[in-house]
Amino acid sequence: MASPAAADTVLIEAGSVITDAASDPTGSMVLVVVDGTIEGIYAPDAAALGAYAAQGAERIDLSDKTVLPGLIDLHTHLSGDPSGEFWRAATTPSEYFTLIAAKNARITALAGFTTVRDLGSRTDQVTQMLARATREGIVPGPRVITSARTIAIIGGHGDVNGFVEHVNDALDSGFTCTGPVECASKVRLASQYGADLIKITATGGVLSQQGRGLEAHFTDDEMRAIVETADSLGLKVAAHAHGARGIEAAARAGVHTIEHGTYIDDDAARAMNEAGTTLVPTLMAFEGIRRNLGQGFYTPVVEDKIRAVSEVAGTIVQRARANGVRIAFGTDAGVFPHGQNAGEFALLVNGGMSHREALASATTVAAEIVGMEDTIGRLAPGYSADIIAVSGNPIADVTVLEAVDWVMVRGRVIK
């Protein structure tokens, strides 16, 4: 659990410090955290440390560890665990998903992820309240930036599918739309419900019971209305998108991030670069669903889609990099078990990224995506005390982040 409150002053004695992904590890240093914010990073013999020690500051001994900024996962679903049983939506009340979200928040933080974007919760207000609870220290977990519900076309990925008509109607989220005016109204509704950003399913998806392909769902006018309305409210848009033409259309509409990007091609990449759109490839999601193939975990319609995307998922990063598309870290945790998020690093490296680039994708680059580059993603005076410790040097081998030894979020140690 999290400490009940951030200690007034904490001295973290580190064997080595990586202040950001562009820097190399230092020697021994001491980080001073005051009221949840980094006050300074000092050599162990700095005169200033004596004053803090004299005031009875708490000491944390990480002298055999490398200390670095907390990691950021831009695509999670904290209120869900892996399941092929789509019918559970009709049998499980929202209170259960709230408990699942609290469980997964702690697991995610202990894995070293101190900030997450949650892109689609199971029921209304679950992740908005989780964000509040982690912020206030009631529930141990990361900083949560949430889209809450997902905006989808009627019957598309993100809507309810697979039940008889009256059950579909009963489970409807209220966030489906047809036409630019109605789609704009759903963005305003999401804002009213407390969304920090907007999530749309710009194309078909893999794990839904909707089996009509993975290309574009919204019309160009509908997507433009969504993005323009979100922009007027100060919100960015994340677009789930698999098919190349759906990726291209979403980028031209001005979405901020493309989630998955499975069939990205030259034209789609060109549109993304022209719009300044970043790819969040979620490679762990593809890895996770592949593991469950042929075991009766998914319905036949879903298994067919998994086999189709599995043939190309391993080259998403290569294709994006060949076209100069910027890549940021996100996993789709919840499709695979929470806590395994750091497995994404090895997959990014296999796709051609350097270990340093992969680390940057989950720190400085991801911090820019959420508009918090002055608060998280690096260790520096004035930044939030979102700090992790590992054995080894992630600049040389980013996979050491698969075993995080110690975590602090907003100055609170997660236990």
Side-chain angles (χ1 to χ4, degrees):
M1 60 181 291
S3 304
D8 290 341
T9 304
V10 179
L11 305 183
I12 301 171
E13 300 168 349
S16 184
V17 174
I18 297 173
T19 56
D20 59 59
S23 303
D24 292 324
T26 67
S28 297
M29 301 293 283
V30 179
L31 289 78
V32 178
V33 174
V34 179
D35 293 333
T37 299
I38 298 171
E39 186 278 335
I41 303 173
Y42 300 93
D45 57 353
L49 296 177
Y52 289 116
Q55 295 167 13
E58 178 186 356
R59 289 178 175 267
I60 296 176
D61 183 6
L62 297 174
S63 56
D64 60 342
K65 304 295 180 186
T66 299
V67 169
L68 67 152
L71 306 172
I72 303 165
D73 189 333
L74 295 173
H75 194 132
T76 67
H77 298 282
L78 293 173
S79 60
D81 284 327
S83 174
E85 299 170 334
F86 71 94
W87 49 264
R88 287 188 179 275
T91 63
T92 307
S94 61
E95 290 82 358
Y96 181 78
F97 294 120
T98 301
L99 296 172
I100 292 295
K103 168 187 75 76
N104 289 332
R106 176 177 175 270
I107 290 170
T108 300
L110 288 172
F113 290 84
T114 57
T115 297
V116 301
R117 282 195 317 180
D118 191 278
L119 298 184
S121 58
R122 294 296 184 108
T123 52
D124 294 334
Q125 295 297 314
V126 169
T127 49
Q128 296 96 313
M129 293 303 99
L130 179 66
R132 176 179 173 181
T134 58
R135 181 173 63 249
E136 295 177 359
I138 296 169
V139 170
R143 176 185 288 99
V144 178
I145 300 163
T146 181
S147 67
R149 302 306 290 265
T150 296
I151 297 175
I153 67 164
I154 296 169
H157 186 69
D159 191 16
V160 182
N161 288 280
F163 300 101
V164 297
E165 183 178 358
H166 70 275
V167 177
N168 280 340
D169 291 342
L171 294 175
D172 182 71
S173 71
F175 284 88
T176 58
C177 58
T178 299
V181 173
E182 189 175 16
C183 288
S185 75
K186 298 305 180 183
V187 173
R188 295 187 177 108
L189 183 63
S191 176
Q192 181 185 29
Y193 277 36
D196 301 309
L197 76 157
I198 301 301
K199 161 77 178 299
I200 66 171
T201 47
T203 74
V206 176
L207 295 184
S208 64
Q209 300 308 305
Q210 198 269 357
R212 294 180 177 85
L214 299 177
E215 267 301 349
H217 272 184
F218 290 97
T219 67
D220 290 348
D221 287 344
E222 287 169 340
M223 280 200 287
R224 278 195 296 269
I226 288 169
V227 173
E228 289 170 4
T229 305
D231 185 63
S232 74
L233 296 168
L235 301 175
K236 293 183 169 114
V237 179
H240 154 111
H242 288 289
R245 303 290 67 78
I247 297 169
E248 183 178 3
R252 294 198 187 286
V255 303
H256 191 223
T257 59
I258 292 290
E259 313 297 311
H260 315 306
T262 311
Y263 292 97
I264 187 171
D265 62 12
D266 294 351
D267 290 336
R270 186 178 304 110
M272 290 180 67
N273 289 333
E274 289 173 354
T277 303
T278 299
L279 174 65
V280 181
T282 67
L283 302 178
M284 276 295 289
F286 298 102
E287 184 70 19
I289 59 179
R290 266 198 300 265
R291 296 170 188 166
N292 296 318
L293 270 175
Q295 300 179 42
F297 197 82
Y298 302 116
T299 62
V301 67
V302 171
E303 287 225 343
D304 287 345
K305 290 188 286 185
I306 291 173
R307 289 190 174 91
V309 298
S310 294
E311 293 178 1
V312 297
T315 62
I316 293 171
V317 171
Q318 291 97 319
R319 282 179 278 131
R321 282 172 58 85
N323 283 280
V325 173
R326 185 166 78 152
I327 295 171
F329 189 101
T331 66
D332 213 355
V335 169
F336 62 93
H338 293 276
Q340 298 178 11
N341 313 53
E344 186 85 9
F345 287 114
L347 300 175
L348 291 172
V349 170
N350 289 342
M353 296 180 76
S354 70
H355 292 264
R356 190 185 294 275
E357 287 171 332
L359 177 60
S361 77
T363 51
T364 49
V365 174
E368 290 178 17
I369 294 298
V370 296
M372 299 185 70
E373 61 269 30
D374 295 331
T375 304
I376 59 176
R378 66 180 74 241
L379 303 179
Y383 278 64
S384 179
D386 294 5
I387 306 168
I388 65 174
V390 297
S391 300
N393 174 10
I395 297 293
D397 180 6
V398 75
T399 65
V400 302
L401 296 173
E402 293 177 16
V404 171
D405 300 308
W406 179 90
V407 180
M408 173 179 277
V409 182
R410 293 177 165 128
R412 300 183 182 98
V413 177
I414 306 294
K415 298 181 180 177

